[in-house]
């Protein structure tokens, strides 16, 4: 029973590792590298997201999100300053030649293709259009830039690109109703949303709780071992205790194979992904969420109801199960099923976060990094995995494999469930701030290891490694030089990751790109300074002499129990 449960948790941890990058899609991704097309006079606008509010026959209808072009007039930021303007469909649709239909200050909707963006805008402007909406031929948004050799850039009307699905709906409105009008404006996004603060707190507190639980369990195992040795049960080895407690210690080979297998599986998903893929992930997430929630609740309640966790009942196919587990499991299953049924509702993020946090804490409790060597190999391989599948894969596949899989672009769904999310309450664009499970789980293994070491070595909070590992994960001191890890911590951490996300045009960024080097660097530098690096790197726990075994004075090479 315990081994089957551990296998299920390990399977879920692989899936979490695979899909930890969930790009932040606030209102519509902007995906085009425009470094080769620098700004120049007439083509120097900042790229902004644009709200396109529609009215059908005078009644407010759907709202769409587009992206403003590098050229054309800047779009107003306040809704009250944006005018309601009639929308018309271009004839010809591509607007590469003057429209045949009469346009009197209307907003014209055209299809992408057959000529440059600026040519379409110039033709629309000459036809007396007040703005141009260019419909992309894909679901993604595209940054509209100017060609390097273009000179006809005297464009004074706003140009906005909309995704294909928005264009399809607008065309349906235009062909089925008598009057459609639109309002274009680009509200400013707050510099920092409270959602990012809460998400940061969830990530840090999840690792904090998991680390203390892991350290508490490890210390209880040592105490129990000490009692048995005191009772002359010296035949029981440390290995037996680790196995009996249901803990899996990762080794170097397993860490490398973990990442290799993840890469192969990710590529397979990239090639085969469809709508069924998201459904499979939802089922896996529910299974892992039930396991995690059940484990956490049983551990918590057993502290209050000591006797409820001790009696066991034999259940067919499941083996021996405690009465407490039997009482909690139906609640956990019901909770996960309700989340799966209502996962597209606005409140579903609460259930997703509860299941996700419980799963992460359970994985960190079961899967241990035994020393700094294994932690370095695991996070180092994960770092390379990030770089390759997020950035380098673009060179081979013309798109980021990790982002495509994580976002579920080819599935027709909203994306993967393996992430924590929090609604952007004060953002006029709405959406969610999100972080993938793996960006908490993988560094969390190293942080939990540091606390286990501190407790076994009887180190104080300040004199140990856990406090500095937590600070290294959660905070950063900007503009400060890296001197001593004990006084001035490295300057890029989880907090800087959130800043980077806000500066990257909404692209999904690998958080481990920032977290891994400096979290590992903090522990290594501090360990070397204190003289503990060799023990941290190889043993992973302090050498504690056994008080129940002494050396015979007459035979220096013989040991005997007290």
């Amino acid at each position: 029973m315990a081994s089957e449960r551990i296998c299920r948790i390990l399977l879920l941890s692989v899936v979490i590792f695979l899909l930890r990058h969930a790009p932040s899609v606030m209102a519509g991704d902007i995906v085009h590298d425009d470094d080769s097309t620098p700004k120049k006079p007439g083509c120097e606008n900042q790229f902004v997201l644009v709200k396109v509010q529609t009215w059908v026959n005078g009644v407010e209808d759907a709202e769409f999100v587009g992206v403003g072009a590098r050229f054309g007039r800047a779009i107003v930021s306040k809704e009250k300053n944006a005018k309601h303007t009639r929308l018309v469909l271009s004839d010809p649709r591509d607007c590469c030649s003057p429209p045949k239909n009469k346009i009197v200050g209307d907003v014209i909707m055209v299809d992408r293709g057959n000529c440059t963006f600026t040519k379409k805008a110039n033709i629309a402007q000459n036809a007396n259009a007040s703005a141009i909406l260019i419909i992309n031929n894909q679901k993604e948004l595209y940054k509209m830039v100017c060609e390097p050799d273009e000179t006809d850039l005297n464009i004074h009307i706003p140009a906005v690109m909309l995704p294909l699905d928005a264009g399809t709906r607008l065309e349906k409105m235009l062909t089925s109703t008598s009057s459609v009008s639109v309002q274009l404006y680009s509200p400013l996004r707050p510099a920092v949303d409270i959602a990012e603060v809460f998400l940061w707190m969830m990530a840090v507190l999840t690792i904090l709780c998991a680390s203390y639980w892991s350290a508490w369990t490890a210390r209880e195992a040592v105490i129990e071992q000490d009692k048995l040795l005191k009772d002359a049960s010296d035949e029981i080895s440390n290995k037996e205790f680790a196995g009996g407690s249901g803990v899996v210690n990762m080794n170097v080979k397993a860490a490398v194979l973990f990442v290799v297998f993840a890469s192969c599986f990710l590529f397979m998903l990239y090639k085969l992904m469809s709508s069924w893929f998201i459904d499979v992930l939802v089922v896996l997430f529910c299974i892992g969420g039930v396991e995690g929630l059940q484990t956490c609740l049983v551990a918590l309640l057993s502290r209050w109801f000591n006797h409820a966790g001790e009696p066991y009942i034999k259940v067919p196919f499941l083996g021996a199960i405690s009465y407490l587990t039997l009482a909690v499991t139906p609640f956990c299953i019901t909770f996960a099923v309700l989340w799966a049924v209502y996962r597209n509702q606005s409140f579903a993020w609460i259930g997703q976060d509860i299941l996700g946090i419980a799963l992460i804490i359970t994985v960190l409790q079961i899967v241990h990094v035994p020393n700094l060597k294994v932690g370095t190999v695991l996070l180092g391989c994960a770092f390379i995995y990030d770089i390759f599948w997020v950035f380098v894969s673009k060179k081979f596949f013309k798109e980021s494999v990790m982002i495509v899989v994580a976002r579920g672009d080819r599935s027709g769904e909203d994306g993967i469930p393996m992430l924590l999310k929090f609604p952007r309450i004060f953002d006029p664009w709405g959406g969610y701030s999100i972080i993938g499970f793996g960006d908490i789980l993988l560094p969390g293994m190293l942080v939990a290891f540091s606390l286990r070491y501190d407790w076994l070595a009887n180190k104080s909070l300040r004199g140990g490694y856990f406090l500095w590992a937590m600070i290294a994960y959660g905070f950063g001191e900007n503009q400060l030089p890296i001197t001593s890890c004990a006084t001035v911590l490295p300057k890029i951490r989880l907090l800087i990751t959130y800043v980077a996300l806000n500066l990257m045009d909404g692209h999904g960024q690998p958080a481990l790109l920032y977290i891994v080097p400096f979290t590992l660097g903090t522990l290594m530098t501090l360990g070397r300074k204190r003289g503990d690096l060799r023990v941290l790197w190889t043993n992973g726990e302090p050498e504690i002499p056994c008080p129940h075994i002494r050396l015979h004075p007459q035979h220096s090479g013989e040991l005997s129990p007290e």
Side-chain angles (χ1 to χ4, degrees):
M1 176 65 183
S3 61
E4 292 175 359
R5 177 172 165 272
I6 290 173
C7 287
R8 289 197 296 269
I9 292 294
L10 289 175
L11 174 62
L12 263 296
S13 66
V14 172
V15 176
I16 289 171
F17 176 77
L18 275 169
L19 301 170
R20 65 181 175 279
H21 297 294
S24 180
V25 186
M26 303 300 181
D29 257 1
I30 305 173
V31 285
H32 179 60
D33 184 4
D34 61 324
D35 292 338
S36 60
T37 54
K39 296 179 182 180
K40 55 184 177 180
C43 192
E44 53 191 355
N45 292 344
Q46 295 292 334
F47 292 111
V48 294
L49 292 175
V50 180
K51 289 194 175 187
V52 181
Q53 178 64 58
T54 62
W55 278 262
V56 177
N57 295 328
V59 179
E60 187 173 349
D61 203 279
E63 181 182 86
F64 305 102
V65 175
V67 59
R70 178 79 87 187
F71 52 86
R73 195 181 71 208
I75 297 167
V76 298
S77 60
K78 294 183 179 179
E79 183 179 2
K80 64 180 181 180
N81 296 333
K83 298 179 180 179
H84 293 206
T85 310
R86 189 169 74 101
L87 179 67
V88 297
L89 193 60
S90 175
D91 180 19
R93 293 288 298 272
D94 58 13
C95 199
C96 290
S97 58
K100 299 175 183 178
N101 48 331
K102 187 177 180 180
I103 299 172
V104 184
D106 303 320
V107 175
I108 187 171
M109 187 173 81
V110 308
D111 291 341
R112 178 184 174 183
N114 299 330
C115 61
T116 63
F117 297 126
T118 52
K119 182 176 181 179
K120 295 175 188 288
N122 273 309
I123 291 174
Q125 177 175 268
N126 294 334
N128 202 26
S130 60
I132 180 172
L133 300 181
I134 300 177
I135 307 303
N136 196 14
N137 51 16
Q138 302 175 29
K139 289 185 177 181
E140 294 177 331
L141 291 175
Y142 190 93
K143 287 180 178 178
M144 295 188 291
V145 297
C146 307
E147 296 295 331
D149 56 349
E150 282 189 285
T151 56
D152 190 10
L153 298 174
N154 190 26
I155 302 170
H156 303 294
I157 63 172
V160 177
M161 172 163 282
L162 289 174
L164 178 62
D165 51 353
T168 303
R169 288 189 62 186
L170 284 172
E171 183 179 354
K172 186 176 180 181
M173 290 179 187
L174 288 169
T175 55
S176 61
T177 58
S178 58
S179 174
V180 177
S181 59
V182 295
Q183 184 184 32
L184 310 180
Y185 63 103
S186 179
L188 299 177
R189 173 171 285 155
V192 178
D193 193 277
I194 193 172
E196 294 167 359
V197 177
F198 277 104
L199 197 64
W200 177 85
M201 290 176 61
M202 282 196 290
V204 171
L205 291 176
T206 297
I207 290 182
L208 189 69
C209 293
S211 298
Y212 271 96
W213 187 10
S214 176
W216 187 280
T217 303
R219 187 163 67 176
E220 284 185 336
V222 170
I223 293 173
E224 183 66 23
Q225 180 184 9
D226 187 67
K227 287 180 180 179
L228 290 173
L229 287 172
K230 191 174 182 180
D231 294 336
S233 300
D234 54 338
E235 295 180 1
I236 301 177
S237 65
N238 292 343
K239 186 175 180 181
E240 288 172 328
F241 282 98
S245 61
V247 170
V248 176
N249 283 320
M250 185 175 290
N251 55 35
V252 172
K253 183 178 179 181
V256 175
L257 290 177
F258 193 64
V259 178
V260 172
F261 174 75
S263 294
C264 297
F265 192 51
L266 178 69
F267 183 73
M268 181 187 71
L269 294 176
Y270 172 70
K271 289 297 184 181
L272 302 178
M273 186 175 58
S274 59
S275 58
W276 62 266
F277 168 64
I278 298 297
D279 294 333
V280 170
L281 289 182
V282 169
V283 172
L284 287 174
F285 176 71
C286 287
I287 293 172
V290 168
E291 291 280 359
L293 191 58
Q294 171 191 291
T295 302
C296 292
L297 288 177
V298 168
L300 186 63
L301 293 175
S302 62
R303 299 285 177 179
W304 298 339
F305 306 102
N306 295 327
H307 301 293
E310 295 175 1
Y312 287 83
I313 184 173
K314 207 163 186 181
V315 179
F317 305 108
L318 298 178
I321 298 179
S322 69
Y323 284 106
L324 186 57
T325 301
L326 203 61
V328 166
T329 300
F331 167 78
C332 298
I333 294 174
T334 303
F335 188 91
V337 170
L338 287 175
W339 171 81
V341 172
Y342 296 102
R343 66 189 181 91
N344 293 323
Q345 301 298 319
S346 59
F347 55 81
W349 64 272
I350 300 174
Q352 182 170 326
D353 287 352
I354 292 173
L355 292 172
I357 289 172
L359 175 57
I360 292 172
I361 291 175
T362 301
V363 172
L364 289 176
Q365 168 66 14
I366 292 177
V367 184
H368 284 185
V369 168
N371 51 50
L372 191 57
K373 178 182 178 181
V374 174
T376 301
V377 172
L378 177 63
L379 292 181
C381 290
F383 180 84
I384 297 172
Y385 174 94
D386 276 3
I387 297 296
F388 182 82
W389 290 112
V390 175
F391 298 116
V392 180
S393 61
K394 291 181 182 179
K395 304 295 184 182
F396 299 97
F397 306 103
K398 308 301 181 183
E399 58 187 353
S400 172
V401 171
M402 175 65 75
I403 291 179
V404 169
V405 173
R407 192 170 50 199
D409 285 353
R410 301 177 183 175
S411 66
E413 301 285 345
D414 292 333
I416 65 171
M418 279 75 172
L419 51 88
L420 300 184
K421 58 198 297 188
F422 199 94
R424 297 179 64 89
I425 301 172
F426 299 110
D427 192 331
W429 295 99
Y432 295 87
S433 289
I434 58 181
I435 184 171
F437 285 177
D439 294 325
I440 304 172
L441 181 64
L442 295 180
M445 289 183 182
L446 191 65
V447 175
F449 157 74
S450 68
L451 184 60
R452 289 195 301 272
Y453 179 86
D454 287 353
W455 280 23
L456 292 176
N458 294 318
K459 290 184 177 290
S460 65
L461 183 63
R462 190 172 180 181
Y465 296 92
F466 172 71
L467 174 64
W468 307 112
M470 279 298 303
I471 293 175
Y473 176 76
F475 291 96
E477 296 294 335
N478 222 357
Q479 306 301 326
L480 291 179
I482 301 175
T483 54
S484 169
C485 285
T487 55
V488 182
L489 293 170
K491 59 183 179 180
I492 301 179
R493 306 292 194 281
L494 182 65
L495 194 63
I496 302 304
T497 298
Y498 281 111
V499 175
L501 283 170
N502 285 325
L503 296 177
M504 293 291 184
D505 283 341
H507 286 292
Q509 296 294 313
L512 293 183
L513 179 66
Y514 309 100
I515 295 172
V516 168
F518 298 102
T519 304
L520 280 174
T522 298
L523 288 178
M524 286 184 175
T525 306
L526 195 57
R528 183 174 181 179
K529 181 180 178 181
R530 293 174 174 176
D532 296 333
L533 185 58
R534 183 181 295 274
V535 177
L536 288 168
W537 184 262
T538 56
N539 298 335
E541 59 183 35
E543 296 180 2
I544 304 175
C546 180
H548 310 297
I549 297 178
R550 64 181 175 82
L551 195 66
H552 280 300
Q554 68 271 29
H555 300 290
S556 60
E558 296 181 5
L559 295 175
S560 66
E562 282 186 334

